[in-house]
Amino acid sequence: MTEKNAIDILKSLVGFDTTSSKSNLDLIGFIESYLNIHKIKSTLVYDSSGKKANLYATIGSSSEGGIMLSGHTDIVPITGQAWTDDPFHLTQKENKLYGRGTADMKGFLALILSRVPKMISAKLSKPIHLAFSYDEEVGCVGVHRLLDLINGNSIKPAFCIVGEPTSMEVVTGHKGKCGYQVVVKGLACHSGQAPFGVNAVNYAAKLISHITEISKEKSIKGPFDYDYEVPYTTLHTGVISGGTILNIVPDSCQFEFEIRHLIEDNPKELINKIKLYAKENLLPNMHKVSSKTDIHFKEKVTYPGLSIDENSEPVKYVKKLLNNEQHKKVIFGTEGGLFQEKLNLPTVVCGPGSIDQAHKADEYISIDQLEKGGKFLDDLINSCR
């Protein structure tokens, strides 16, 4: 079977439950041991708890430059999903390999590891750097400590390939994201005395309505980038809770909203616009009843968008390896924007598997995609000789 080695490694990787809420150290230890067998030294960068780690390794020449292959080790939860088979056991059915993380994105990690012996025997003149992170799925959190390590190294990559599932198509851009939690503190009272209270749910609804109006305005006035399926910045409220029983005016309501923004948009300006509306249009009326009422904003997640010139050398290089002149932009975020923003590292997103299968029950990657990803890495290795 083609890609048998990669499939065997993928089986091991899928077997580690690296849901973002859990430790990834068993998987990182597996990768570290695998690289040690091949006499490749790894550097681990831990989180503050010591229960999660990034891994960084360099194979080949110690010269400046080379290519960084990047991927995250964490996965999304399986909670509430009806899987046909054990999500933490790789199951093959015809041309598909099922298991949590197969597409997003342990398939890419398995392909990289399966090529380590080839990288070593190729006596690379340009180094290949491996950068594996934690907590990407909860807002690209873990990679920040890895950025500090790379920035402090004397040897830095020339550019990066993030292997998120793009069906082996070249991705030159994605939107950035900001996610916020809003807590509205009202004043409770009996519903028969509703005017004497401050209904937190009602005021949350007013603020959500304003966020919706801003989103509508962005859809009309832009800016626009028609390489995207949705060519403008969007605002979306996804979670809300408040109140206890119907005959009590609720004194608390919480909701979460996000902004997925084009590179051309400044999300801080949109956040400030929302905060200003709350300050000038909502809080004064709330304070007329009680000075103890409030609206509090808390940033939950933020990462920048990615944009790389389609005519840049990294994009041309990846297209040449794939023998495909097409490129696109995608709806999902990656760590690529951070590599670009924090390290000034040109970044292309390209990896096996489809985002359509990610985060779902019965997630899978096709063997065809593994084969395409494997050929891509083989050609990349040959280009670095």
Side-chain angles (χ1 to χ4, degrees), residues 162 174 303-307 334-342 347:
V162 177
H174 64 70
Y303 58 76
L306 170 71
S307 180
T334 76
E335 293 165 335
L338 286 166
F339 292 135
Q340 186 180 64
E341 182 180 273
K342 302 297 185 181
T347 300

Side-chain angles (χ1 to χ4, degrees), residues 143-375:
V143 75
H144 286 272
R145 292 180 179 239
L146 186 57
L147 296 174
D148 293 338
L149 170 73
I150 298 170
N151 197 40
N153 283 351
S154 58
I155 303 172
K156 292 183 175 64
F159 73 93
C160 172
I161 299 172
V162 177
E164 291 277 6
T166 69
S167 300
M168 293 309 301
E169 296 177 327
V170 178
V171 166
T172 59
H174 64 70
K175 296 178 182 180
K177 176 180 175 179
C178 291
Y180 278 79
Q181 179 190 62
V182 181
V183 178
V184 180
K185 181 182 179 184
L187 179 68
C189 68
H190 191 286
S191 61
Q193 299 172 308
F196 301 149
V198 176
N199 191 314
V201 170
N202 284 358
Y203 278 98
K206 292 176 189 291
L207 189 53
I208 291 170
S209 179
H210 181 66
I211 292 169
T212 303
E213 286 301 312
I214 294 175
S215 185
K216 182 179 179 181
E217 181 180 333
K218 299 307 297 183
S219 73
I220 297 171
K221 296 182 179 180
F224 299 99
D225 183 341
Y226 291 98
D227 283 343
Y228 286 104
E229 179 183 12
V230 179
Y232 47 85
T233 294
T234 59
L235 294 85
H236 153 80
T237 302
V239 179
I240 186 168
S241 64
T244 52
I245 58 176
L246 186 59
N247 62 359
I248 298 178
V249 170
D251 63 357
S252 180
C253 185
Q254 299 182 26
F255 67 91
E256 294 182 17
F257 72 95
E258 69 170 22
I259 301 173
R260 290 190 180 261
H261 61 92
L262 299 178
I263 290 283
E264 295 81 2
D265 255 330
N266 183 347
K268 294 300 181 184
E269 292 180 0
L270 296 175
I271 292 296
N272 289 337
K273 189 174 182 179
I274 294 167
K275 289 181 177 180
L276 185 63
Y277 177 83
K279 180 181 178 180
E280 294 185 348
N281 296 83
L282 301 182
L283 283 172
N285 289 329
M286 296 168 67
H287 288 164
K288 285 179 182 178
V289 180
S290 171
S291 62
K292 295 181 180 180
T293 58
D294 198 10
I295 299 176
H296 178 70
F297 293 79
K298 179 182 179 182
E299 186 177 86
K300 299 277 289 183
V301 59
T302 181
Y303 58 76
L306 170 71
S307 180
I308 183 171
D309 188 338
E310 63 190 72
N311 295 311
S312 66
E313 288 305 314
V315 174
K316 289 180 179 179
Y317 170 82
V318 175
K319 286 182 175 181
K320 183 177 179 181
L321 291 181
L322 291 169
N323 192 27
N324 184 352
E325 289 301 313
Q326 302 299 311
H327 63 271
K328 65 180 182 179
K329 296 179 180 179
V330 293
I331 60 167
F332 58 88
T334 76
E335 293 165 335
L338 286 166
F339 292 135
Q340 186 180 64
E341 182 180 273
K342 302 297 185 181
L343 300 179
N344 196 28
L345 186 62
T347 300
V348 177
V349 183
C350 182
S354 170
I355 198 66
D356 292 340
Q357 273 73 57
H359 297 196
K360 298 178 180 178
D362 294 344
E363 177 183 350
Y364 72 85
I365 189 169
S366 70
I367 294 176
D368 290 345
Q369 279 291 303
L370 280 183
E371 291 172 346
K372 288 181 179 179
K375 182 181 184 305

Side-chain angles (χ1 to χ4, degrees), residues 78-92:
I78 60 168
T79 308
Q81 295 183 343
W83 283 73
T84 303
D85 298 293
D86 183 353
F88 299 111
H89 178 79
L90 192 68
T91 303
Q92 181 173 349

Side-chain angles (χ1 to χ4, degrees), residues 23-93:
S23 172
N24 74 333
L25 291 186
D26 287 343
L27 181 146
I28 288 293
F30 169 84
I31 295 175
E32 183 182 27
S33 297
Y34 178 87
L35 293 175
N36 280 340
I37 291 172
H38 296 287
K39 300 185 173 13
I40 301 298
K41 180 184 177 182
S42 304
T43 301
L44 304 189
V45 185
Y46 292 88
D47 73 344
S48 58
S49 73
K51 295 179 180 178
K52 297 182 180 183
N54 300 299
L55 181 146
Y56 191 76
T58 298
I59 302 172
S61 167
S62 60
S63 63
E64 183 80 7
I67 301 168
M68 185 168 84
L69 302 176
S70 167
H72 63 81
T73 61
D74 61 316
I75 55 174
V76 296
I78 60 168
T79 308
Q81 295 183 343
W83 283 73
T84 303
D85 298 293
D86 183 353
F88 299 111
H89 178 79
L90 192 68
T91 303
Q92 181 173 349
K93 297 180 181 179

